[in-house]
C-alpha cells in the first residue's frame, strides 16, 4: 500500500466536494475491492474519501412499487432485509450468495455496482430488474449504466447514492461460480414485471449484458423450457483457465433455465 | 483414595496439548516474533520467466528513506556466499552423474523463473523496503522461455543452464528392460495409459518467514525460520552457503503453520536474512505474502507419463513398463531429484505381485518454480498411475475392477515380500483393508444409488484405489547407496527431571501433526508419567542435540523409535539405581508403568523416587553410575515402513455444468500401531482433502510464455470445506515388524490413496459416454467438454 490521505465526510455534498477537488482521490465504501487493490499496489489514489459516515447513503425502504436500497447497504443487510425478502426475494437470495460471511458483512451494493466487475453478482440484478441508479446529480437507467468492463456511466467524482428496484412479478437468479475465486463464472438474472421480461447475464462477458433472444422467448412462454434450446454465441465472451468462451456460452443457457426455475 | 486417571498411553485419543495455544491465538510463529532493533527485507523478484541480467542499478533505491542496504547476487557472490545445495545425486542410465547446475541465492547473470530472487533491500520498515525495491532498475534482456517440459525438450529449445544440455537433468531408469519387454511380448492383453500428474502449489496456511540475527558481541548467528527441519537447514546453510560452523549458528523453527513438504527445503530467503543481518549488524526479517508464496515455495508433482501393463489370460499382471517426464522447474530444490526416482519408481509394484517392472524417468529443467516433495512426494504419482491403470486394465480385460485387484494382491502369507523395484515390504493385509472398505462404503449397494441419482439428473460413480506407500524414511545406508547426501536417522533425548516430570527433545518437527501429544503419550505409556507432565521440545538446534526433521511420515516411525530407545536406556539405568536402593540384584528389578519392583516381592520404587535419588545422590552407587537421569538415542531404521490401504470415493456429476461433487469417501488404512486414533483420523482427513484437491480442483498453470496464471487464490483452487464430503476413516492394523513401536506412519496416506479413487469414480460416472480416462483436475469445464464431445456418439447409438 502506498501512502494516501484519508477523509471521512458526513454528507454526500462534502464527499463530492472532496472528490472534485482532487481527481486522484477515490471513494471507499466496504473496501473489499479497493483495499485488496491498494495492498497489492495496483492502485495509487492520493486520498480515500470514506463514505461510511454518510447517513443519506444508508437504509433499505419500500417506496410504492419500488424498493430503494442505499449505496452503503451491505450484502448481509440486503440478504436479511424483510423489505427485500418480501418484495424481491431473488435479490435477497443473490445478496446472500456473494463471497463469504466476512465479505457480506463489509461489501456494499454501491461499491459493487460502481465497480462493475464482470464477475460480480449485483450488476445482474440491477440490469435484470431494470433498476435505476441514483447518484448525487442524476438518475441513470440500468440499461445506460454498465458501459464496459469495470466501467460505468458514473463521471469522475460522482457518487452512487441509491438503487431503485421496481418490484417484479417474478424474478430468479442462478450462477455457476468460478471454482477458485467463487465469483461468478456465468450467471443469469431473469424477471418479469413493470420493465417487461428481462434476462441479464453476468460473468460470461466483459460486462453484464441482456440476452434479447431469451427475453423474447420468455415473454411468449415463461418456462425453463422456453430458453433451454437457445444458444448463446461464444463470440466476445470471456475465456480463462477456468472456463473457455464456449463453456461460458453453454452455461448461459443452463443458468438462464435455472434462473427461470428459481423464479417459479 | 483410589484416583482413576484416564488412560493416556498408546491407543488413547488424548486431546491435542498444543491446540490450546493454537486455537487461542497464542502460538508463536516466526512472523509473531520481533527482535530488538529489527529491520525488514524485501526481495525483488523476476517478472520474467527467462532473461539475462545486463545490469542492476541500485543507486536510487539505496538513497530511499529508511534503506540500510541493497544487495544483489553479485554482492553476495563477491562476499563468498555459496549456492543452494542439492541433497540428492541421481545417476543417469550410463552411470554418469545428473546435471547439477548452480543455484545462486540471488540471481547473478540470468533469471530463470517468474519469482526468481534478484536483489534484496534491507530497510527500517517493511513498506520502506518494498518502496525501495520498486526503485531498483534491472536491465533485463528477455529470452525465450521453456514453460513446459515439451517446450524444454524440443529441438532448439531455449537452454536454461550451461551445464544441462537439452535442459535434461537426468535420464534414469530402474528394472530389467529385457525381462519386461519379453513379458510384454507374451502378454494376453496390454493396457496402456497416458496421463498427466498435475502441478500443485502446496499453500501451507502460514506463509514462509525468516529472521536472521547476528550478535555483534559473540559473532554468532541465529535464524528463526518456518522450517520442517532446522538441523538440516543449519547443516546446509552453514556448510554450503554461508560457511558458518554449527557452533556459531543456531536455527530455530518455532510454531510452524503447516508444511506439507514445502518447508523442508533450504530456501534462498533463509540465507539472505542471515547473511544480511551480519552485514547490517541488526536483525533482518522477511515474511512472504501469499503471492510471493505462489512464485517461490517449491511446487509439487508435475509428471507426464506413459504406462503399459501386460496381463495374462487370467488377469495376472506380467509386467509394467513406465516412461515418465518429471519437471524439476528452473533449479534443483533440496530433495527434488529423488522424488520422481526413488520415491516414485520404487513404488510401482504397488500392492501387486507384478514380477517385472521397468521405469525410465527423464527429469527436465523448465522456466518455472522448482518442484520438490509435496505431501506424499512421488508415491501419489506412482499410486495414481497404477490405480488408474488397474481400472483401464479391468475395462480392457472385462474382469471386474475389484476382482482384478484381488487376483494380483500380495497375499498375507507372502511377507516379507521383495518387489522387483528394490523395496522389501515387511507386513500388510491388502485383502482385509479392501474388504473392510467395500463394506464401509456399501459398495454392494451402489447401483441403487446410481439409479436414484439418475432420476435426479445426476451421474453417479464409484471408484476404488488400493495403494501402498513407503515412508518412515529412511535406512541411512540404503538411501546413501541411492544418492542421498545425508543420513536419515532420528534423535531423541529423554530428560527425567528430579521430581519425575519429563522433557523430551526430538529431532522431529511438528508443524500441525500433534507431536506434543503423540510423543507425550509414548512417555506416558512407557514410563507412566502423565501426559500433562511431559514437555516435548523440538525445532531448535540450540536445545535438541540433532535431528533430520519431519517429512515422509517419519516422525513416529523414526523419531518415536529413537525416543523408545532412549527410554530403554532410562529404564536400564533406573533399574540399577532401584537395585541399589532396594538392595536387590539388577536382574531381579522389573519396570512397569512408572514403578520399579523387586520381582516376587512387594518392594517397589516409583520413577520419581529413582529420579530424586539420581539428582540427589546421597544414597547412590556413585562409584559405578553417574548421577542424573537423561539419555539420548540415535535410531537408524532398518527398513522403510509400508502403510497401505483402500480408499473408496463416490461422486456425483451435474452433466449440464460438469461440476463434480465427492459425496462419500471411505478410507481404510493400515498405518501400523495407532498411538492416537483421533490424530490419525485428522491426518487422514487432511490428506484426503488435499487428494480431492488434486483430483478435482488444484492446478498450477503457466502460460506458454512462462507466466504464472494461477498465481493467487483468485485462480488457484484450494479445496474448501464445502468441496469435501464426510470422510469415513477406519484402520486395519498389521504391525511394522522392524521398529519398536510397530508403527508405519499416517501423514501422507490420505493424499496418496485418494486421487485415483476420485478419478476412478469420475470415469465410472461417465461410463455411458465411453470415457476411459479423465485428467486431473477434473474441473467442471473439463468434464463438460468430455460430455459435450461424446454426446453425438451417444445420440447416434
Ligand atoms: C474474498 C472476496 C470474495 C468476493 N466474492 C464476491 C462475489 O462472489 N460476488 C461479488 O459480486 N462480489 C464479491 N466480492 C466483492 C465484494 O462484493 C465487494 O465488497 C464489492 O464488489 C465492492 O463493494 P465495497 O463496498 O467493498 O467497495 P469498495 O471496495 O469500497 O469500492 C469499490 C469501488 O467502488 C467505488 N465506490 C464505492 N462506493 C461507491 C459509491 N457509493 N459511489 C461511487 N463509487 C463508489 C470505489 O471507489 C471503488 O472504486 C468479493 C470480495 C472479496 C474480498
Amino acid at each position: 500500500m502506498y501512502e494516501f490521505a484519508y477523509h471521512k465526510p458526513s454528507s454526500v455534498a462534502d464527499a463530492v466536494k472532496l472528490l472534485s477537488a482532487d481527481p486522484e482521490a477515490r471513494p471507499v465504501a466496504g473496501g473489499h475491492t479497493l483495499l485488496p487493490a491498494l495492498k497489492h499496489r495496483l492502485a495509487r489514489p492520493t486520498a480515500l474519501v470514506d463514505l461510511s459516515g454518510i447517513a443519506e447513503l444508508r437504509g433499505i425502504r419500500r417506496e410504492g412499487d419500488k424498493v430503494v436500497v442505499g449505496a452503503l447497504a451491505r450484502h448481509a443487510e440486503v440478504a436479511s432485509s424483510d423489505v427485500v425478502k418480501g418484495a424481491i426475494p431473488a435479490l435477497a437470495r443473490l445478496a446472500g450468495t456473494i463471497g463469504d460471511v466476512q465479505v457480506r458483512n463489509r461489501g456494499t451494493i454501491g461499491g459493487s455496482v460502481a465497480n462493475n466487475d464482470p464477475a460480480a453478482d449485483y450488476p445482474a440484478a440491477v440490469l435484470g430488474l431494470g433498476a435505476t441508479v441514483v447518484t448525487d446529480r442524476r438518475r441513470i437507467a440500468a440499461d445506460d449504466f454498465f458501459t464496459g468492463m469495470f466501467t460505468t456511466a458514473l463521471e469522475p467524482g460522482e457518487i452512487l447514492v441509491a438503487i431503485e428496484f421496481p418490484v417484479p412479478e417474478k424474478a430468479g437468479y442462478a450462477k455457476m461460480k468460478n471454482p477458485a475465486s467463487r465469483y461468478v463464472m456465468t450467471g443469469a438474472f431473469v424477471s418479469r414485471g413493470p420493465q417487461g421480461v428481462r434476462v441479464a447475464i453476468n460473468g460470461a462477458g466483459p460486462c453484464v449484458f441482456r440476452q434479447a433472444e431469451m427475453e423474447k422467448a420468455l415473454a411468449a412462454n415463461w418456462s425453463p423450457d422456453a430458453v433451454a434450446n437457445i444458444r448463446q454465441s461464444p463470440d466476445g465472451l470471456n475465456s480463462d483457465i477456468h472456463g473457455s468462451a464456449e463453456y461460458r456460452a453453454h452455461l448461459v443457457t443452463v443458468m438462464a433455465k435455472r434462473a427461470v426455475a428459481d423464479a417459479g | 483414595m483410589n484416583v482413576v486417571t484416564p488412560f493416556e498411553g498408546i491407543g488413547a485419543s488424548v486431546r491435542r496439548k498444543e491446540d490450546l495455544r493454537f486455537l487461542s491465538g497464542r502460538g508463536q510463529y516466526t512472523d509473531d516474533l520481533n527482535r530488538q532493533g529489527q529491520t525488514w527485507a524485501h526481495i525483488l523478484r523476476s517478472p520474467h520467466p527467462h532473461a539475462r541480467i545486463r545490469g542492476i542499478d541500485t543507486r536510487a533505491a539505496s538513497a530511499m528513506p529508511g534503506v540500510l542496504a541493497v544487495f544483489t547476487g553479485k554482492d553476495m557472490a563477491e562476499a563468498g556466499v555459496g549456492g543452494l545445495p542439492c541433497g540428492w545425486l541421481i545417476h543417469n542410465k550410463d552411470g554418469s552423474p545428473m546435471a547439477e547446475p548452480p543455484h545462486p541465492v540471488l540471481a547473478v547473470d540470468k533469471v530463470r523463473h517468474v519469482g526468481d530472487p534478484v536483489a534484496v533491500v534491507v530497510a527500517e520498515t517493511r513498506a520502506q523496503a518494498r518502496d525501495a525495491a520498486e526503485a531498483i532498475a534491472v536491465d533485463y534482456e528477455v529470452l525465450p522461455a521453456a514453460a513446459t517440459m515439451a517446450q524444454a525438450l524440443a529441438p532448439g529449445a531455449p537452454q536454461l543452464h550451461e551445464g544441462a544440455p537439452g535442459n535434461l537433468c537426468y535420464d534414469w531408469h530402474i528394472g530389467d528392460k529385457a525381462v519386461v519387454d519379453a513379458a510384454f511380448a507374451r502378454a494376453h492383453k496390454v493396457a496402456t495409459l497416458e496421463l498427466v500428474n498435475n502441478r500443485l502449489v502446496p499453500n501451507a496456511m502460514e506463509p514462509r518467514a525468516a529472521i536472521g540475527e547476528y550478535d555483534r558481541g559473540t559473532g554468532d548467528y541465529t535464524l528463526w525460520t518456518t522450517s520442517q527441519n532446522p538441523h538440516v537447514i543449519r547443516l546446509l546453510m552453514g556448510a554450503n552457503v554461508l560457511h558458518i560452523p554449527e557452533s556459531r549458528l543456531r536455527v530455530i523453527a518455532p510454531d510452524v503453520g503447516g508444511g506439507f513438504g514445502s518447508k523442508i527445503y533450504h530456501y534462498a530467503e533463509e540465507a539472505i536474512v542471515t547473511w544480511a543481518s551480519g552485514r547490517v549488524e541488526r536483525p533482518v526479517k522477511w515474511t512472504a505474502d501469499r503471492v510471493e508464496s505462489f512464485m517461490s515455495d517449491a511446487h509439487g508433482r508435475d509428471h507426464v507419463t506413459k504406462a503399459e501393463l501386460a496381463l495374462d489370460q487370467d488377469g495376472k499382471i506380467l509386467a509394467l513398463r513406465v516412461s515418465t517426464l518429471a519437471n524439476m522447474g528452473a533449479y534443483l530444490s533440496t530433495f527434488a531429484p529423488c522424488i520422481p526416482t526413488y520415491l516414485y519408481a520404487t513404488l510401482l509394484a504397488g500392492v501387486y505381485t507384478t514380477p517385472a517392472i521397468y521405469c525410465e524417468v527423464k527429469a527436465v529443467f523448465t522456466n518455472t518454480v522448482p518442484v520438490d516433495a509435496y505431501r506424499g512426494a512421488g508415491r501419489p504419482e506412482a499410486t495414481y498411475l497404477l490405480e488408474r491403470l488397474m481400472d483401464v486394465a479391468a475395462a480392457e480385460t472385462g474382469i471386474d475392477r475389484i476382482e482384478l485387484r484381488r487376483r494380483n494382491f500380495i497375499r498375507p502369507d507372502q511377507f516379507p515380500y521383495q518387489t522387483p523395484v528394490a523395496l522389501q515390504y515387511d507386513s500388510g493385509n491388502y485383502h482385509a483393508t479392501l474388504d473392510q472398505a467395500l463394506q464401509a462404503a456399501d459398495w454392494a449397494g451402489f447401483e441403487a444409488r446410481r439409479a436414484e441419482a439418475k432420476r435426479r439428473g445426476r451421474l453417479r460413480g464409484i471408484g476404488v484405489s488400493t495403494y501402498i506407500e513407503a515412508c518412515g524414511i529412511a535406512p541411512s545406508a540404503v538411501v546413501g547407496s541411492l544418492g542421498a547426501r545425508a543420513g536419515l536417522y532420528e534423535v531423541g533425548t529423554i530428560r527425567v527431571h528430579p521430581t519425575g516430570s519429563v522433557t523430551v527433545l526430538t529431532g522431529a518437527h511438528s508443524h500441525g501433526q500433534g507431536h506434543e501429544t503423540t510423543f507425550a503419550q509414548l512417555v506416558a505409556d512407557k514410563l507412566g508419567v502423565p501426559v500433562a507432565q511431559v514437555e516435548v521440545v523440538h525445532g531448535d538446534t540450540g536445545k535438541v542435540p540433532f535431528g533430520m526433521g519431519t517429512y515422509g511420515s517419519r516422525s513416529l516411525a523414526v523419531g518415536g523409535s529413537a525416543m523408545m530407545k532412549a527410554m530403554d536406556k532410562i529404564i536400564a539405568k533406573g533399574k540399577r539405581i532401584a537395585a541399589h536402593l532396594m538392595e536387590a540384584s539388577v536382574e531381579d528389578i522389573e519396570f512397569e508403568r512408572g514403578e520399579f519392583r523387586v520381582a516376587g516381592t512387594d518392594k517397589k520404587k516409583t520413577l520419581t523416587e529413582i529420579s530424586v535419588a539420581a539428582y540427589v545422590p546421597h544414597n547412590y552407587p556413585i562409584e559405578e553410575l553417574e548421577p542424573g537421569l537423561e539419555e539420548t538415542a540415535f535410531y537408524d531404521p532398518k527398513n522403510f515402513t509400508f502403510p497401505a490401504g483402500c480408499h473408496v470415493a463416490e461422486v456425483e456429476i451435474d452433466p449440464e455444468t460438469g461440476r463434480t461433487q465427492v459425496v462419500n469417501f471411505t478410507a481404510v488404512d493400515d498405518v501400523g500401531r495407532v498411538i492416537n486414533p483421533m490424530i490419525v483420523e485428522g491426518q487422514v482427513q487432511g490428506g484426503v482433502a488435499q487428494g480431492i484437491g488434486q483430483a478435482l480442483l488444484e492446478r498450477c498453470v503457466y502460460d506458454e510464455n512462462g507466466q504464472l496464471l494461477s498465481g493467487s487464490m483468485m485462480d488457484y483452487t484450494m479445496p474448501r470445506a464445502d468441496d469435501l464430503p464426510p470422510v469415513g476413516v477406519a484402520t486395519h492394523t498389521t504391525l511394522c515388524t522392524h521398529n519398536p513401536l510397530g508403527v508405519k506412519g499416517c501423514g501422507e496416506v490420505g493424499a496418496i490413496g485418494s486421487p485415483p479413487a476420485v478419478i476412478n469414480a469420475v470415469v465410472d460416472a461417465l461410463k455411458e459416454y465411453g470415457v476411459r480416462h479423465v485428467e486431473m483436475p477434473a474441473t467442471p469445464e473439463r468434464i463438460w467438454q468430455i460430455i459435450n464431445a461424446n454426446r453425438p456418439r451417444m445420440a447416434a447409438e
Side-chain angles (χ1 to χ4, degrees), chain A residues 26-27 29-34 51 75 99 103 107-108 111 120-121 160 182-183:
Chain A
R26 295 275 292 278
H32 263 44
T33 292
L34 190 51
L51 305 180
H75 310 334
V103 171
T108 67
D121 287 281
L160 195 160
R182 301 276 176 104
Y183 275 73

Side-chain angles (χ1 to χ4, degrees), chain B residues 13 674 676-687 727-731 746:
Chain B
S13 284
V674 173
N676 183 319
M678 177 194 72
I679 288 180
V680 169
E681 187 182 6
Q683 285 289 310
V684 173
Q685 287 178 336
V727 177
V729 178
T731 53
C746 68

Side-chain angles (χ1 to χ4, degrees), chain A residues 2 180 241 244 247 250 257, chain B residues 131 134 656-657 699 720 781:
Chain A
Y2 299 103
I241 61 174
S244 60
Y247 178 53
H250 163 77
K257 206 169 71 174
Chain B
D131 286 343
E134 287 178 5
E656 283 190 324
T657 62
R699 175 168 55 143
R720 304 190 196 187
E781 160 146 47

Side-chain angles (χ1 to χ4, degrees), chain B residues 578-626:
Chain B
H580 173 87
L581 293 177
M582 296 188 282
E583 295 173 345
S585 91
V586 177
E587 293 74 48
D588 290 340
I589 305 291
E590 293 168 345
F591 179 78
E592 208 187 335
R593 292 244 162 84
E595 287 179 345
F596 295 87
R597 295 172 180 277
V598 181
T601 75
D602 59 2
K603 282 210 247 176
K604 63 173 186 184
K605 291 278 176 196
T606 63
L607 179 65
T608 305
E609 288 171 299
I610 298 301
S611 60
V612 168
Y615 286 97
V616 189
H618 296 163
N619 174 15
Y620 195 80
I622 202 85
E623 295 294 321
E624 53 209 73
L625 214 54
E626 293 170 10

Side-chain angles (χ1 to χ4, degrees), chain B residues 399-412:
Chain B
I399 301 171
D400 172 76
R401 50 194 161 147
I402 302 289
E403 174 58 22
L404 185 69
R405 285 175 168 84
R406 276 197 227 277
R407 277 188 208 175
N408 286 284
F409 275 165
I410 298 161
R411 294 188 317 273

Side-chain angles (χ1 to χ4, degrees), chain A residues 63-84:
Chain A
E63 283 180 9
D65 57 358
K66 286 181 294 197
V67 170
V68 182
V69 181
L72 280 181
R74 300 199 161 136
H75 310 334
E77 289 171 52
V78 174
S80 61
S81 153
D82 289 335
V83 172
V84 180

